[in-house]
Amino acid sequence: MADTATELETLLSGLNDPQREAVTYGEGPLLILAGAGSGKTRVLTHRIAYLVATDAAKPNEILAITFTNKAAGEMRERAELLVGRRVRAMWVMTFHAACARMLRAHADKLGYTRRFTIYDQADTRRLIKRCLDDLGIDPKRFTPASIHNQISDAKNKLRDADSYARMVGSFFEQTVADVFRAYERELHRMNAMDFDDLLVRAVNVLELFQEVRDHYAGTFTHVLVDEYQDTNHAQYRWLQLLAEERRNLMVVGDDAQCLVAGTSVTMADGSQRAIEDVRIGDFVRSGCGGGSFAAARVVRVHRSERADGVAITLRSGRRLVSTPEHTHFAGHRALHNAANPAAAVNPARISMPDMLMRSRPARGGDFATLSRARMEVTLCAGEREGLPLHRVAVTRENGAGFDGLTSDVATIETLADSVARDTTDAIWLRASARLGADGGELPFTPASRVEPGMVMFDERGGCDAVESVERVELRQPVYDLDIERTHNFIANGIVTHNSIYGFRGADIRNILEFEDTFPDAHVVKLEQNYRSTQTILDAANAVIRNNRGQKPKSLWTELGQGDPIKVRELEDEHAEARFVTGEVQRLLDEGVSRAEVAVFYRTNAQSRVLQDTLVRADIPYQVIGGTKFYERAEVKDAIAYLITLVNPQDAGAFTRIVNAPRRGIGSTSMSRLLAFTNTTGTSVWDAASDPEQVPNLGAAAVKALRRFMATMHVLRERAESRPAIAELLKEVLQETGYLEALEAERTIEAQGRLENLEELVNVAAEYDSAASAGADSPAPGSLADFLEQIALISDADDRSDDEGLITLMTLHNAKGLEYPIVFMIGCEEGVFPHSRALDEGGLEEERRLCYVGITRAQRDLYLTYARTRNVFGARNFGAPSRFIGEIPDELTDREQQQPRGLAGIRARAMTWSPPTRSARTAGEDGPSWDAPGQAAAVPAFRLGEDVTHPKFGEGVVTGLEPGGIVVIRFAKDGSERKMVADLAPISKR
């Protein structure tokens, strides 16, 4: 008894009062509202340990669930530190892993066999493409990706094909409904489930079969859920079915949110740093797949001492020394079988780690279905939403199995353990990395098993041959790095292995309605923040308090009040970028490290002007969660089109655009075309203009080239007439079908690419404006000069610096990070909150995103907005974001007196202030656009009224918004624009 008391005292030491209350709570539903930086994962893992230590639950009676594989791995590791090996008896895993395990035992009740196949995204979209073909639907008009997004969203809401069909409201949705039915029929016929089905079918088996529900509800006496705010409706229903009887459901969430010393590591900016000098939080250059490299964060650094090692020398002269067991990517050849990487592998030929993992006998026989299994892991096999994905495929002895994707290699061990418990004999594991520039893979190989003649990936994704391998004496420190998501980095020029809220249909209402589902739920608020000053936390509290669907809580800290938040109004996006750059330079002069500064923005396209300004100021920076503006694929494609119009002999630019978007001109046809030009000495433009003369070119390729070149000849004639560059670029993107192809994808990623292209049009419009004003240049207004300026800017991005980097990223990528100094730029209505979110009723989600951004700042926070901003080549007037108005003035350094002149008129017209007490009494919710101390101005225009604008021509008023904002649709280009009636040059017709 004394030992138990001591164990509990040790376990609870170091917890603050709310954390201790949550950990020691008895039976019944428990809602933990955890603010940013308040230690919610710590509470969950300590709760697990407390239940075991007090005998409130046996280890096998605990189900601990989280949203991501990375979080599940971290939870398991932290729980094991507290309870030891007993954690292995618990179900500590993701929703999908737990549902898959459940279905392996009971899928036969739903008409599947227990050996059903799990389809990953690629498999799913191939099947949807087949259904489109069978139904005679054009896959270019209705892409498999857009159809899949709709079906996935429906399944996350537990809607089947018939339910979805009853809700259709457009031709596109009717098409989805038809494909949905065919897709579901084919999945069942093939005895297969997609990732969404794992959740849906697990709910089905619990709802339809009481004995299954009783079994699991009786087995799991305590259910704990981390990141509960990320659950969708299907996950919510699954948890409800499991916990409804015993009601011991605890949910934690935020409803807002080895190599030797001297080894040279390539950092994110291209500089080199000794591995022993790399620190947690640094960003290194890391392979993302297919020869693509990007910045990735170091999340852990390991140091040890070793006596012996292995030195690997390559043909290029590169040399890498590591411990014998350190894993490299090395094989006798790079494989190129993306569909089934193992199919082309001869284990006897390639020296790879063939690891036999003995599993424990399955308990009770429920999961002991087959005697053997084969697991294949492919690092960086693909990507989703900009994140690298790693392929996990399991094949059982009779050919059944599953094939899925995960975003973190650290979760593979959890999956292997899950498979092991389903297997009575052994697992054969093969691991490889798809990092070659040509899509090639190399297997994981310990340094001790690397042989001369093998190849390894270099820093560009190419292959470098191994010349010699020798044992060496070390007797010195050795180091390893854990790289977030990608789990690889570049050492001495060789790639080596290291040993946000709307995602997937997340429904924030689950956490907000928890007390409605469980009226007797006990609520604990973790409000002590260990990151930010009180001023920053008060601002975050003030903003998030405006959400109707928000559990009240107030973050607090012991770090002190801190400096006021700095709010700045700038003339336009260029003045905004100059202000941020100037402020950064001032901070650097005061001794602040570049690594301490981060700039957040709502969309990637906003970063372009800032990047240009930082380049001109010679301040190194890195873009996290994306590539630098001029390195983005869609921007490079658009520039390549313009280069081709200026220089038709540029085979590189021509090769890039000829099949972008896809036109049926494949690599084989292009190789024959280039071979012909090399042989005859003709230009690629001339050869493509007369494709019949190219030997062995297929009829389809000839036809596709003729159509493409007809478009390009028209565009070249247009370019030779020296139009405005912005207008030419718009015409190029329209006429080549590039915009249409992106719009057809109907995905968030495609929308981001469209915004980047809009920003490139803004770049061209700025150039046009400067040229018409008589700016100095060799050939004002020329397309060649415009391309030269872009080349100079993008080339400057390539320089390296070893004194740290300013970090740029979108607010979606900021979750979980923290920086001493944070700039949030573009805080304007329509930008942040984003106009698309406002149109779709996503204001509260935008406000939660603002809350996340504010709470990333530890010491200083800047909020900036612009009076005007260039949008798709047009200058639009902006209004300050409502989020700025929601922050009390006493927390900011805003000047109290109104500016004079035009700025004063604008400020009075567009001040965002909360509704008065009388307005709230009258039933009005949320803020309103009012002049300070005055009633809102009556709009000077009426709906449907005809107006004219000197630049955009004639239009009609389609909407009126508070603050004198008029929405006008212009007949000239069909665009719909928001303008401030008192400031914009619009008049009635």
Side-chain angles (χ1 to χ4, degrees):
M1 196 70 179
D3 290 343
T4 302
T6 302
E7 181 182 353
L8 290 176
E9 183 179 346
T10 303
L11 178 67
L12 300 176
S13 63
L15 300 178
N16 62 34
D17 289 343
Q19 291 173 336
R20 183 184 291 257
E21 179 187 359
V23 169
T24 60
Y25 181 72
E27 295 196 339
L30 177 61
L31 171 61
I32 310 296
L33 286 176
S38 60
K40 52 189 165 83
T41 305
R42 185 183 189 200
V43 166
L44 191 145
T45 53
H46 278 68
R47 171 76 172 171
I48 292 173
Y50 182 82
L51 292 173
V52 174
T54 59
D55 293 325
K58 297 177 182 178
N60 62 352
E61 294 175 339
I62 294 176
L63 170 64
I65 293 293
T66 189
F67 191 72
T68 67
N69 287 310
K70 178 181 180 181
E74 180 183 353
M75 192 193 306
R76 175 183 291 274
E77 290 175 4
R78 294 174 67 168
E80 187 170 7
L81 291 174
L82 298 172
V83 303
R85 296 171 62 88
R86 288 174 292 183
V87 74
R88 299 184 181 183
M90 305 173 189
W91 281 33
V92 183
M93 58 187 66
T94 64
F95 280 99
H96 290 88
C99 291
R101 182 181 293 188
M102 185 179 290
L103 290 169
R104 289 296 174 194
H106 305 290
D108 56 322
K109 297 180 181 295
L110 299 175
Y112 297 85
T113 74
R114 296 182 182 184
R115 300 183 297 275
F116 63 87
T117 301
I118 299 176
Y119 275 12
D120 65 8
Q121 179 174 287
D123 297 325
T124 295
R125 292 185 177 178
R126 275 193 293 270
L127 182 56
I128 289 175
K129 171 67 163 57
R130 188 191 308 171
C131 293
L132 288 168
D133 292 340
D134 292 344
L135 294 171
I137 299 171
D138 183 4
K140 293 182 179 179
R141 184 180 180 190
F142 301 101
T143 66
S146 63
I147 299 290
H148 178 218
N149 288 338
Q150 291 290 315
I151 293 175
S152 178
D153 182 66
K155 289 185 176 183
N156 284 332
K157 296 173 181 173
L158 292 179
R159 294 173 184 158
D160 59 15
D162 292 336
S163 299
Y164 182 89
R166 289 193 292 269
M167 300 174 65
V168 300
S170 67
F171 182 69
F172 171 69
E173 289 176 349
Q174 183 59 57
T175 303
V176 173
D178 296 339
V179 176
F180 198 168
R181 289 194 186 94
Y183 172 67
E184 287 291 273
R185 187 170 55 249
E186 286 299 295
L187 274 179
H188 198 272
R189 186 179 66 82
M190 296 177 180
N191 190 38
M193 298 184 196
D194 61 26
F195 266 61
D196 298 310
D197 282 331
L198 295 177
L199 300 171
V200 174
R201 302 308 174 207
V203 170
N204 293 159
V205 79
L206 292 175
E207 287 181 330
L208 297 174
F209 300 95
Q210 189 64 42
E211 69 276 15
V212 177
R213 183 173 171 183
D214 291 342
H215 168 72
Y216 287 105
T219 298
F220 299 123
T221 62
H222 283 267
V223 179
L224 303 92
V225 186
D226 194 12
E227 298 291 353
Y228 184 66
Q229 77 278 356
D230 285 335
T231 54
N232 58 39
H233 179 63
Q235 292 161 335
Y236 173 77
R237 179 59 179 157
W238 183 76
L239 289 170
Q240 187 183 41
L241 291 167
L242 289 176
E244 214 167 32
E245 182 179 340
R246 293 182 179 265
R247 308 182 75 257
N248 290 328
L249 174 62
M250 169 187 169
V251 299
V252 182
D254 185 354
D255 56 341
Q257 197 193 115
C258 282
L259 301 168
V260 299
T263 300
S264 182
V265 175
T266 303
M267 306 306 290
D269 62 348
S271 63
Q272 302 296 314
R273 187 179 302 176
I275 192 169
E276 62 268 27
D277 295 331
V278 177
R279 300 289 181 262
I280 294 174
D282 287 345
F283 286 87
V284 300
R285 190 166 175 79
S286 182
C288 303
S292 174
F293 290 85
R297 188 166 66 157
V298 178
V299 295
R300 188 165 47 197
V301 175
H302 176 72
R303 181 189 185 278
S304 183
E305 296 278 344
R306 293 300 298 269
D308 61 336
V310 174
I312 302 172
T313 305
L314 294 99
R315 187 167 298 164
S316 62
R318 299 181 179 94
R319 188 171 186 267
L320 194 58
V321 181
S322 69
T323 56
E325 65 275 12
H326 185 88
T327 300
H328 297 294
F329 308 123
H332 282 287
R333 60 191 176 96
L335 308 177
H336 295 84
N337 192 335
N340 182 5
V345 177
N346 180 349
R349 174 165 174 73
I350 296 183
S351 296
M352 70 185 94
D354 304 340
M355 293 170 276
L356 288 175
M357 302 168 57
R358 302 291 298 185
S359 70
R360 298 178 299 281
R363 292 180 180 145
D366 287 342
F367 303 107
T369 55
L370 292 165
S371 62
R372 299 192 177 187
R374 171 190 180 105
M375 175 176 280
E376 298 159 12
V377 178
T378 308
L379 185 76
C380 299
E383 68 171 350
R384 179 186 293 150
E385 298 180 354
L387 298 179
L389 294 177
H390 315 298
R391 180 172 176 266
V392 185
V394 175
T395 306
R396 300 190 182 276
E397 194 173 45
N398 67 348
F402 69 85
D403 192 335
L405 296 172
T406 175
S407 61
D408 199 326
V409 172
T411 63
I412 302 302
E413 183 178 348
T414 302
L415 290 171
D417 191 56
S418 174
V419 174
R421 280 193 287 272
D422 293 353
T423 309
T424 58
D425 192 1
I427 302 172
W428 183 86
L429 174 66
R430 175 196 173 269
S432 64
R434 189 175 299 163
L435 299 173
D438 57 356
E441 315 175 1
L442 288 173
F444 285 39
T445 305
S448 60
R449 299 183 64 178
V450 175
E451 303 172 357
M454 289 184 174
V455 295
M456 302 175 73
F457 291 126
D458 63 24
E459 71 271 20
R460 293 184 178 84
C463 288
D464 198 350
V466 176
E467 283 281 312
S468 64
V469 180
E470 58 180 331
R471 290 275 182 167
V472 295
E473 183 177 329
L474 297 181
R475 300 196 182 280
Q476 63 174 298
V478 291
Y479 298 83
D480 200 8
L481 310 176
D482 188 6
I483 309 302
E484 190 173 33
R485 297 192 179 103
T486 55
H487 298 276
N488 69 83
F489 59 98
I490 301 172
N492 288 353
I494 296 297
V495 184
T496 186
H497 183 249
N498 65 260
S499 301
I500 183 118
Y501 286 111
F503 178 65
R504 292 190 65 80
D507 193 342
I508 194 70
R509 290 175 299 177
N510 293 343
I511 199 169
L512 302 176
E513 297 171 3
F514 186 84
E515 290 176 275
D516 295 334
T517 306
F518 300 98
D520 59 336
H522 182 67
V523 179
V524 177
K525 299 177 182 179
L526 304 181
E527 299 176 322
Q528 183 174 359
N529 179 281
Y530 295 92
R531 177 192 297 140
S532 306
T533 66
Q534 191 61 51
T535 295
I536 290 171
L537 298 182
D538 288 346
N541 292 332
V543 170
I544 202 64
R545 202 173 289 127
N546 288 276
N547 271 2
R548 299 182 202 174
Q550 174 68 28
K551 303 298 293 184
K553 67 173 184 298
S554 294
L555 296 175
W556 64 276
T557 184
E558 295 178 344
L559 298 179
Q561 193 65 32
D563 293 336
I565 294 170
K566 300 162 184 67
V567 178
R568 296 290 181 270
E569 179 186 51
L570 289 312
E571 186 61 38
D572 56 21
E573 67 270 30
H574 295 280
E576 181 181 56
R578 289 194 297 271
F579 167 74
V580 173
T581 302
E583 195 67 10
V584 168
Q585 288 174 320
R586 182 185 67 79
L587 291 167
L588 296 179
D589 291 341
E590 293 177 357
V592 172
S593 167
R594 295 187 191 121
E596 295 181 86
V597 182
V599 183
F600 300 154
Y601 34 81
R602 179 59 177 82
T603 64
N604 272 312
Q606 289 174 251
S607 70
R608 195 275 307 173
V609 174
L610 179 59
Q611 289 186 49
D612 289 354
T613 308
L614 289 172
V615 168
R616 287 193 292 270
D618 199 30
I619 298 177
Y621 67 92
Q622 58 187 342
V623 181
I624 304 303
T627 55
K628 294 182 178 180
F629 182 78
Y630 292 108
E631 293 177 3
R632 292 174 182 143
E634 61 276 9
V635 174
K636 292 176 77 71
D637 287 346
I639 292 173
Y641 270 108
L642 297 181
I643 290 173
T644 302
L645 297 180
V646 171
N647 179 19
Q649 286 76 35
D650 191 327
F654 186 91
T655 302
R656 183 177 186 95
I657 65 172
V658 71
N659 205 38
R662 293 183 179 179
R663 301 184 174 90
I665 306 172
S667 57
T668 301
S669 299
M670 198 60 210
S671 297
R672 289 170 178 165
L673 180 66
L674 292 175
F676 175 77
T677 62
N678 291 336
T679 303
T680 62
T682 57
S683 71
V684 67
W685 178 279
D686 293 337
S689 299
D690 187 13
E692 287 86 354
Q693 63 180 320
V694 180
N696 302 319
L697 203 59
V702 169
K703 186 177 180 181
L705 277 170
R706 280 212 165 277
R707 284 198 302 266
F708 172 63
M709 291 307 297
T711 301
M712 292 301 293
H713 278 289
V714 171
L715 290 173
R716 192 177 180 201
E717 288 179 8
R718 173 81 170 124
E720 289 174 348
S721 67
R722 294 177 64 89
I725 308 300
E727 294 303 318
L728 175 63
L729 180 55
K730 287 182 188 178
E731 191 172 342
V732 167
L733 295 173
Q734 290 284 359
E735 295 301 320
T736 59
Y738 203 98
L739 292 181
E740 183 181 359
L742 287 177
E743 290 164 352
E745 289 186 25
R746 300 172 188 260
T747 63
I748 296 298
E749 295 90 339
Q751 181 62 37
R753 296 186 184 106
L754 287 167
E755 290 173 351
N756 290 334
L757 291 174
E758 290 177 5
E759 183 60 24
L760 185 62
V761 173
N762 291 342
V763 175
E766 290 167 9
Y767 173 82
D768 291 333
S769 177
S772 63
D776 294 333
S777 68
S782 74
L783 180 56
D785 182 57
F786 172 69
L787 293 171
E788 180 183 323
Q789 288 192 15
I790 287 179
L792 291 174
I793 291 174
S794 57
D795 180 66
D797 287 344
D798 294 334
R799 75 203 179 309
S800 62
D801 192 290
D802 58 1
E803 297 179 6
L805 301 168
I806 304 296
T807 300
L808 314 183
M809 70 177 74
T810 64
L811 283 155
H812 282 98
N813 284 321
K815 186 179 178 184
L817 302 176
E818 56 189 58
Y819 294 89
I821 301 166
V822 167
F823 293 81
M824 289 172 59
I825 65 173
C827 296
E828 301 136 41
E829 288 293 299
V831 178
F832 185 45
H834 198 283
S835 57
R836 185 173 63 247
L838 294 176
D839 293 341
E840 297 173 358
L843 174 59
E844 297 209 347
E845 189 68 25
E846 292 287 288
R847 188 175 279 113
R848 277 187 285 272
L849 197 58
C850 182
Y851 172 87
V852 168
I854 291 173
T855 55
R856 298 312 94 189
Q858 295 174 302
R859 189 173 73 240
D860 290 311
L861 175 64
Y862 294 77
L863 304 177
T864 68
Y865 60 95
R867 298 187 186 109
T868 66
R869 190 174 295 272
N870 222 12
V871 179
F872 211 8
R875 179 61 57 181
N876 285 359
F877 287 94
S881 170
R882 64 193 70 195
F883 302 148
I884 292 179
E886 292 168 359
I887 299 175
D889 284 343
E890 60 268 20
L891 299 178
T892 73
D893 66 350
R894 281 177 284 192
E895 294 182 359
Q896 297 303 310
Q897 67 178 40
Q898 292 284 350
R900 299 179 179 178
L902 181 62
I905 296 173
R906 178 183 175 280
R908 290 190 293 275
M910 301 194 300
T911 297
W912 181 271
S913 45
T916 62
R917 184 184 300 271
S918 61
R920 285 179 179 162
T921 305
E924 294 181 13
D925 289 309
S928 62
W929 285 98
D930 293 329
Q934 303 175 16
V938 178
F941 298 91
R942 297 191 304 273
L943 285 175
E945 194 165 30
D946 293 327
V947 297
T948 183
H949 187 283
K951 180 175 181 181
F952 304 117
E954 297 178 349
V956 62
V957 177
T958 60
L960 300 173
E961 297 184 0
I965 295 178
V966 186
V967 184
I968 303 173
R969 182 177 294 279
F970 290 99
K972 184 177 179 181
D973 58 0
S975 65
E976 192 170 79
R977 302 175 185 273
K978 294 183 180 181
M979 298 183 173
V980 180
D982 291 340
L983 301 180
I986 50 177
S987 57
K988 299 178 183 179
R989 251 190 329 122

